[in-house]
Structures are given as C-alpha cells and as structure tokens.
C-alpha cells in the first residue's frame, strides 16, 4: 500500500451521477485534495461499463477502462460507485482482501453484507468507509461513530429518502393523489422509472440497518427492518392528518430496547412543529437521541451527484490520511497556513435600516437616491407608521413617519457611507436601527 | 504514553459543570468506554481548586487532588475543564510538551492560543482535540475537519451562544426589554452574574474564530473577529423586525472571500422561514455551506454539563483509540457483537386511527372501552365529520360519522389487537387508516 511509496493511488469504479463528480474533483482539485491528505493522491483509473457513454464530466480517455478487476489490483484506495450487489460486492471484497482501502456509497450492499465486509477488512487491516450511503452529503455516520462514541445512543430517526419525501410533500401541498405525485416526481427526475426501491421503503430500510448497526454497535441487516412504504398513503390520509396538525413523512427509525433494537420504516405522522416536519423535497435530516447529548439533528442534501461526492471525498481524504505510515495526523490547519482576516468593511450582506423621516412628499425619492449613489439597492421598503391595518396610506400628517428598508446584498463599506449620508439629510430625523440580514445561506 | 502499557491513564483537570459529568462517565461507565476504545481506560486523578466543594456528582476522595501539574505529568490523556486562560493554558502546554494527548472545551484559550498549541502538539506528535468548545453536544468540528475535508467550505454561520439566544427569544415572544430578559435569564441560571462575555458576543466571537480556522484551513484569532453584542438591541427593533417577518438572532459568521475571510458576530435579521430562525432557547445550530455539499445544518444542545460531556467523551474515546500502538482502528461494531433485532410487535409508539362508525349514541364509549381493554390510552379524539366549522356538533344524522384517535405511547402488539377488535364491532363500519405517530424524540 501507500506506506511503501509516497503517493496514494486511487481507483474509481463507476462514473455515473456520483462517480463522474468524484472523478472531476480528483482531477481538477488534485492539488487541494493532496494538500488536505498531506501526501499526493492520484486517480489512476476509472472503470465503467461503456467507455463511450456521455458523462456529467468528461473523463480523460486514458483513465477509462472496462477492466475493473485490474484496477482494483493496482490501487491503494478504491472508490466503489457502481452500486447494487454484483459486481460491486466482489470488487470490494477483492480490494479488501489485498488490504486496499475502500470508500463506497453502496447502502444496498452494506445493509446486507456489511458485517462480512467489515470482518474481511479487520482481517487484512484494510479501511472500509461509507459515509455517502446514508443522507447523501450529510455527515451522519462519522458523527455517530466518532463524536458520539463516548455516549449511548437510544434512538435514530430520519428522513433518508428524497424521492418519497418529495412525493409526500407534493401530496401535502397540492392535495395530489399518490399516483399523480409519483408521476410528477418521475417526470422531474426525482423518481426512477422503476420506483419500487424508494416507494416501498427498501432504500430507507437499508439506511435504517446501517444507522442501527453503527448507533447500537451491533450488526443489523436489511431483512431485520420492518418495512412499509408510502404507496398505500392516500390523499385522504394526508388531508386528515393536516386537519389535526400533522404531516406524514416516511421515517427510518432505529430504537434501542434493553434486550435488542426495533428497526422500522413506515409512513409516520409528525406534528407540524417537529424539527423533521419542515424538511422539504429532496432534503434529508436525521435526528439522533443520546443519553448525555440529548437531541441532535443533522440536515442537508440527501442525494445528487455533487452533494454525494462531497461525502465520498471526505471519506477519501480521511482514509488516504490513514494510509500514510509516517505521520499520525494531517493537521486541518497546515503549519504556516495563512489567510488574511478581512475587516468588517469587506463583509457583504443585506441590511435593514429603520429611520424616522419627515412626513412629506419626495422623502422616499431622496432616500432612494442616497442608496443608489452608494450602489446599495433596495429589496423592500415599508412605511409602517403611515399604513393603517386596512392598508390605506394616511399621509400628510405633521408627525414624522417611519421608513424601514431591507437592502439587497451590499458591501458594509458602502452601507456605512450610505447611513452616514442618510443621517445628514434634512428629511431624516434619526436612523433608529441598522441591522444586518441573512436571507439564505 | 499508552503504547508501552495496556491501559490509557486519564487525568481530569476541573470538576465543575462539565468536569463532574466527565468524571461520572469515566467511573460509572468505565467498562463501556474501555470497550469503545478497544483498550482499558482509567481515570487516575481529578484536579480541583477545592477538594471539599460540593459537586454535581460525588467524586471518590482518593481521585481528588489540588496538584494539577503532578497529574498532568502522570497521565496519557489530559481532559482540561478548568476554563479560562491560566492555569489552563500552562497545563495544556505542559501536557502537550511531554507528548500527552489533550481534550478540552476551552474556547477562550483555543481562540487566542490555538495555533501555538497546535504547533506544540505537532512538534511532539501529541493529539489536541476540542469538539466541546463550539456548540456543546453538537458534533460540528469533526464533521468540518473530516467529513468535509474533501470539499471547499465557503461559509459557516451559527447560533452558538445559548444565553443570548434565550434572551432574544424572550424579547421576541414576550416583548420584554433587553434588561428585563437578561435579569430573567440570570434568575433562571441561563446567564451568569457577569454576563459580559455572552451578551457582548465575546463567547460567540471565540467560536467564530475556531470555526473559521477549521473551515478555511488557516488560523484566525479572537481579535480578528468583528464583534457586536446584543445589549443595544431594543424591544422596538424586535417588534419592527417581527412586523416584517424577521426574527433577530446573534449569529457567528465566518465567510470566505478570494483574498481572505470575514469573521463577524452581530445581531442579525433572519426570515422566520430560515432554518436557524426556529432554534429556540438554549439550543444551538450551525449552518455550513460547501461547494459540493451545499447547505448543511447541525442542531443540538449548545451547553450544559451533560450535553457538553458527551462531546468531551467523544474526543476522549477517539483520542484514546489513537494512543493504541497496535491496532489501526477500533471497529465501531466489535467482532462478534450481537443485539437481537426485535419484531415490530415490540415497537412502542403513538398511533393514529381513522375510522367510519355508526352515528349513534354510545359509539364512542364502546370504542374507548376496546382501547382500554388493550391498555391503549387515548391522547386525543376528533369527530371531524360531525363538527361544523363553527364548532357546532351536528349529530343524529343517519350517515356514518368519522372518528380520529391519537393514542398515547402503546405497544404495537396491543395496537394490533385493538384494531382487530375494533374492526369486529358492529358500530365500526371500517378502519380507514392506522398510522404511527412520533411526537418528540
Ligand atoms: N445518486 C445519488 O444521489 C446517490 C446518493 C447516495 C448514494 N448513492 C450510491 O452511489 C452509488 C452510485 O450511484 P450513481 O447514482 O452514481 O449510479 P449510476 O449513475 O447508475 O452510475 C453507475 C456507474 O457504474 C458503472 N457500472 C455499472 N456496471 C459496471 C460494471 N460491471 N463495471 C464497471 N462499471 C460499471 C456505470 O458505467 P456506465 O456509465 O458505463 O454505464 C456507471 O458509470 C450507488 O451505490 C448508489 O446507491 C447514490
Ligand atoms: N458549562 C458549559 O455548558 C460548557 C459548554 C461548552 C464548553 N464549556 C467549557 O468547559 C470548560 C469548563 O466549564 P465548566 O462550566 O465546567 O466550568 P466550572 O463549572 O466553572 O468548573 C471549573 C472547574 O475548574 C476547577 N478549577 C478552577 N481553577 C482551578 C485550578 N487552578 N486548578 C485546578 N482546578 C481548578 C474548579 O474547581 P472547584 O470546583 O474546586 O472550584 C471547577 O471544578 C470551560 O472552558 C468552558 O468554557 C462549558
């Protein structure tokens, strides 16, 4: 393995939705990834079924191969993104048996043969990691395995399938029947042509088995998970639930009892105030309850090539770090790293400005001009003092009026200059508040 | 260090809110923790200021000492929970210089001397971990350092101070002025007698420096964080923000620019629909945006002895695993581990039962009796069909009526038997839906 040499040679199996993004990162970001690992990494080959097939990112021809086995025998670290049971299972086993590290997102395989593959890895000292198999981009397995390793997890409960969450969401918001929502999801690419694995809960059940295994430190397999899908959920169910303040979600639940664990996947009513109730569309979220930590929630994109590739690459970097013989740890902050801390004037955010102004014509125009002069554009403006509850504007009063502005993204420096000039205007009596606003991200 | 022996000797510095819980876990759960590490661990001493002081968990007298330096010189792994700059800083440095591992929750120290301590650790090969320093129980540093190590983080934004979040929450929900909300928080123990560090944003700023350092792979210190607290936020600000659909939160933000990073802490308007807007009271949440992963959120208890001790113990286990010389990795699932997968009949959850019943007197009593006979108690019951929008009951119609029941926690087995018997009742025309309900946790 890499101990002998100075470079970590990576072999990628599969270049579909996720694999193509991993190939892109390993090629385009090779320097960054090598720096993160602390030793150079190199993508030495990409095994696919059809080298001519079009891909989301064009893979250099010399990397493509159809001989997956030869690639497995060459690499220090294998990234398996073919999916399904075979040939993925045999290829992973082959890699582990020769002591090569394996990173995969293959939940179906892990939920059936996970313990067996772990045992092979333990035998040869190989590393097997699979963060991407549950919750796409969401770091959930590593937090369970490491951050919570000194605690007792009692329950894990998550929305771990984006397809069913999208369908239930559509049914909830539009009143659509299951069949119509499914057809819509298929049209938009959120559901596969054969939606069985998602709709009947099998995909979520595989994830429940993986979550239960890591949370409770004992192996559980797919066939031990009680599984009910969403195909029986009717528009009436959703409507009745909504009328009582509930929303229906497909949850994967792993629950510890004194003498074992119950693993289950089924449509579940959640009060609309529950943190999981507002998880929409293709987003995933996993709730974890532990004795000391209490309630935790992890939220993010549950699928998609790019998000999933982030989880794969995290495993690749962490695993590659471990393959180095000499240094115990690659520091997150390399020695001598420097990035300037920029002054607040360089911040770009939205702003809320609340001011008292003279209540006469032309005031708004004058204020707007000041903002425009400083390249600060206005997202919204309100005059709460002069608008009655019925929405009628009562202008022309002699008392001052209130004006509230929310700007678009602006530079703090420009905002400062804007506020300074606003304060100097005759028509502005006072600037009561200037606050920053974060809308999304 | 532990390489030479077979046991990891742990020294604990401080036994206050967090330290007492760590002592409890290391003593009461010694077997569990040893199993998780894969090698025995032993708490060899607890350094405090006053051995006679009362503590949340009574520490065995023979463990207590006032000689922190001697303890540091004895242990393989030091857990520092004294807090503040000195003597904590000198003790951590002393431990790292002799190559001992250090786990701490000391954000103030990390945000000022983090780079220096990291350099000492790198020099001697010692491990320094501090997950508990940001977000209490929430796994946030490890996900940033490891799970996202193959991605580019562009922004981190969080509610990382429970005291200010509680105060702003109170102001928002009760209309209280800042001073009154602060006094209330002090009375309830959510704010310290001297609340400056929390209220003026210094605590959040330290966390912003730590988050920025790890997210952007370059050192940032507390004095590089722009910092505005909440003491200037008025009830009027909150009310005006609320009228426009915003809530005010104290956010710690670290944002990457091409030529540096802006780190800032200030009161911020968030739309009420923003995931961070609903984070209440002492809870914390951190939003992370990365190029491939997209938006992620981590949520949980941001402070408190028990929750924080979970993060400390996670670092202790992960670090102790690393101190072992022989085995590269302690598997999360030990070889031969077994826990029975229990059948769904053993699940305990709440249930929602929707049925069509004959619309005549005594029906409800008959149904309630069936539930009672099977030890299933009723949380709520609705008869939507017979209640008009104005709330008047229109009974006595000849058509069947609808009854919706939500049960308290019940055993699936009992619920199955209940439903079976309900179906056999003459007064029950059909059971339209039986769905499971999760209320909290
Ligand atoms: N997509 C997601 O959002 C997501 C999220 C989480 C986890 N995952 C998991 O990640 C894995 C990959 O998913 P994906 O969506 O990227 O799958 P995909 O788009 O179907 O791609 C599969 C790839 O494997 C290749 N392949 C198939 N059979 C092969 C063989 N015998 N030898 C060599 N290559 C072969 C295909 O080659 P050709 O291109 O030449 O046909 C294709 O490039 C699966 O385990 C999936 O469960 C996916
Ligand atoms: N509390 C939280 O929720 C929380 C959350 C996240 C991080 N943290 C961090 O965790 C650390 C500990 O917090 P805490 O709330 O547990 O603090 P605390 O309750 O004030 O406890 C401090 C402990 O340190 C001991 N101590 C003080 N000076 C000492 C000295 N010179 N030598 C030996 N022991 C000394 C005290 O001993 P006596 O008991 O004998 O006085 C006490 O046991 C801090 O860095 C804090 O920022 C705390």
């Amino acid at each position: 393995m890499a101990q002998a040499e100075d470079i970590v040679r990576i072999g990628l199996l599969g270049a579909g939705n996720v694999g193509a993004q991993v190939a892109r990162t390993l090629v385009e970001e090779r320097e960054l990834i090598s720096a993160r690992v602390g030793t150079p990494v190199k993508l030495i080959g990409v095994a696919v079924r059809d080298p001519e097939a079009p891909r989301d990112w064009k893979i250099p021809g010399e990397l493509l191969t159809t001989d997956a086995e030869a690639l497995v025998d060459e690499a220090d670290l294998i990234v398996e993104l073919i999916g399904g049971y075979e040939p993925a299972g045999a290829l992973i086993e082959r890699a582990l048996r020769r002591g090569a590290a394996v990173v995969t997102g293959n939940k179906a395989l892990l939920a059936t043969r996970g313990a067996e593959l772990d045992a092979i890895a333990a035998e040869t000292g190989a590393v097997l990691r699979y963060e991407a198999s549950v919750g796409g981009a969401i770091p959930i397995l590593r937090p369970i395995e490491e951050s919570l390793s000194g605690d007792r997890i009692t329950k894990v409960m998550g929305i771990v399938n984006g397809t069913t969450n999208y369908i239930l969401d559509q049914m909830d918001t539009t009143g659509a029947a299951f069949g119509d929502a499914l057809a819509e999801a298929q049209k938009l690419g959120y559901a596969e042509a054969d939606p069985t694995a998602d709709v009947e809960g099998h995909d979520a059940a595989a994830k429940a088995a993986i979550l239960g295994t890591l949370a409770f430190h004992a192996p559980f397999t797919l066939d031990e998970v009680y599984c009910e899908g969403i195909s029986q959920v009717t528009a009436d169910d959703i409507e009745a639930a909504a009328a009582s303040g509930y929303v229906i979600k497909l949850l994967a639940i792993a629950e510890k009892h004194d003498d074992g664990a119950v693993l289950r996947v089924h449509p579940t009513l959640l009060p609309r105030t529950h943190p999981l109730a507002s998880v929409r569309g293709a987003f995933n979220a996993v709730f974890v309850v532990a004795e000391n930590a209490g309630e935790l929630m992890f939220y993010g994109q549950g699928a998609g090539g790019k998000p999933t590739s982030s989880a794969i690459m995290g495993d690749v970097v962490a695993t590659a770090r471990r393959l180095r013989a000499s240094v115990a740890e690659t520091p997150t902050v390399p020695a001598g790293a420097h990035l300037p801390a920029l002054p607040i004037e360089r911040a770009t955010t939205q702003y809320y400005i609340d001011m008292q102004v003279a209540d006469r014509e032309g005031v708004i125009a004058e204020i707007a001009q000041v903002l425009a002069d400083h390249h600060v554009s206005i997202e919204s403006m309100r005059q709460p003092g002069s608008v009655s509850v019925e929405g009628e504007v009562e202008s022309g009063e002699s008392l001052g009026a209130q004006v509230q502005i929310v700007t678009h993204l602006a530079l703090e420096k420009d905002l400062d200059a804007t506020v300074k000039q606003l304060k100097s205007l005759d028509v502005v009596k006072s600037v009561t508040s200037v606050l920053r606003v974060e809308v999304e991200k």
Side-chain angles (χ1 to χ4, degrees), chain A:
Chain A
M1 303 301 91
Q3 282 88 328
E5 300 138 34
D6 218 355
I7 194 164
V8 179
R9 289 165 308 160
I10 300 175
L12 174 61
L13 312 181
N17 291 318
V18 186
Q21 299 302 331
V22 170
R24 177 185 60 77
T25 306
L26 284 169
V27 173
E28 289 186 348
E29 306 270 34
R30 185 179 166 192
E31 265 184 56
L32 178 87
I33 299 300
S34 296
R36 296 278 170 88
V37 173
T39 204
V41 301
K42 188 182 179 189
L43 179 61
I44 62 165
V46 182
V48 294
R49 206 165 22 189
D50 174 11
E52 309 300 325
R55 311 198 173 273
D56 292 345
W57 184 76
K58 190 166 164 35
I59 291 163
E62 67 274 20
L63 289 178
L64 288 171
T65 174
T66 53
D67 191 346
E69 292 192 356
L71 183 57
V72 165
D73 292 345
E74 277 285 300
D76 304 311
L77 194 166
I78 290 294
V79 180
E80 184 278 306
L81 289 167
I82 294 173
Y85 297 106
E86 294 301 340
L91 291 166
I92 289 178
E93 187 175 337
R94 186 180 183 109
L96 295 175
R97 286 213 185 276
R98 45 180 297 276
V102 173
V103 171
T104 177
N106 196 328
K107 51 240 172 188
L109 189 68
L110 263 303
T112 44
R113 292 183 57 197
E116 180 200 340
L117 296 173
D118 272 337
I120 297 171
E123 210 180 292
T124 65
V127 178
L128 170 63
R129 299 218 57 99
Y130 40 91
E131 179 64 75
S133 65
V134 181
I138 308 171
I140 178 65
L141 302 190
R142 189 183 303 278
I144 287 177
E145 286 190 84
E146 300 190 17
S147 310
L148 291 163
S149 59
D151 206 339
R152 284 181 205 267
I153 295 174
T154 53
K155 187 168 181 175
V156 181
M157 173 163 96
I159 295 172
V160 291
N161 181 276
T163 304
T164 46
N165 200 47
Y166 177 85
I167 292 172
L168 291 172
D169 224 29
Q170 282 299 106
M171 292 174 73
D172 185 52
T173 50
T174 68
F178 168 77
D180 296 336
L182 170 60
E184 172 82 5
Q186 285 172 317
K187 216 178 73 188
L188 293 171
Y190 292 132
E192 316 229 345
D194 176 0
T196 317
D198 291 318
V199 161
E200 296 306 339
H202 306 153
D203 175 76
K207 291 164 179 170
I210 295 170
L211 288 168
T213 296
L214 297 178
F216 305 144
H217 303 269
F220 295 100
T221 54
L222 179 55
D223 56 1
E224 294 175 309
V225 181
Y226 171 84
C227 182
E228 247 177 67
I230 63 163
S231 57
Q232 304 304 317
V233 176
T234 65
D236 283 349
D237 285 336
I238 303 238
E239 199 189 316
S244 302
Y246 293 99
V247 59
I248 298 184
K249 295 285 189 188
L250 184 73
L251 296 190
I253 301 175
E255 204 165 21
K256 182 88 160 45
H257 291 230
D258 285 340
D259 58 339
V262 178
L263 308 185
R264 50 194 168 103
V265 168
H266 50 68
T268 313
L269 266 66
L270 291 173
R272 289 201 179 253
T273 52
H274 194 285
L276 289 176
S278 53
V279 175
R280 296 249 171 273
F283 274 83
N284 279 195
V286 181
F287 220 71
V288 178
V289 186
E291 272 180 17
N292 288 324
E295 297 178 19
L296 301 167
M297 192 173 84
F298 304 79
Y299 167 91
Q301 294 192 61
K306 274 201 179 186
T308 307
S309 79
S310 174
I312 292 283
M313 288 307 305
D315 273 352
V316 166
V317 169
T319 303
R321 283 176 180 169
R322 295 262 308 280
L323 291 180
R324 303 174 69 206
S326 50
V327 181
E329 186 163 35
T330 308
T332 299
V333 181
H338 177 70
L339 197 66
L342 304 174
I344 186 71
E345 288 69 30
R346 290 285 309 281
T348 307
T349 175
Q350 293 180 252
Y351 296 88
Y352 164 90
I353 309 168
D354 194 347
M355 52 197 150
Q356 294 294 328
V357 300
D359 194 4
R360 61 167 144 88
E361 261 175 45
V363 170
I364 298 297
E366 209 172 323
I367 289 171
Q369 189 58 48
V370 171
L371 272 78
D373 288 348
H374 292 92
H375 321 290
V376 177
S377 71
I378 296 173
E379 182 185 278
S380 68
M381 184 180 300
R382 284 180 81 229
Q383 284 190 271
S386 61
V387 178
S388 76
V389 273
E390 285 81 30
E392 290 167 30
V393 178
E394 296 166 13
S395 58
E397 291 177 30
S398 56
L399 281 167
Q402 193 181 5
V403 174
Q404 294 171 344
I405 292 173
V406 175
T407 74
H408 281 297
L409 282 179
L411 206 57
E412 179 101 4
K413 182 166 67 69
D414 293 335
L415 197 276
D416 282 350
T418 303
V419 171
K420 210 167 156 200
Q421 196 179 335
L422 284 174
K423 283 180 173 165
S424 76
L425 292 186
D426 278 350
V427 296
V428 174
K429 296 183 180 167
S430 66
V431 175
T432 338
S433 288
V434 179
L435 288 163
R436 298 173 191 86
V437 183
E438 293 284 338
V439 173
E440 267 315 328
K441 294 196 182 176

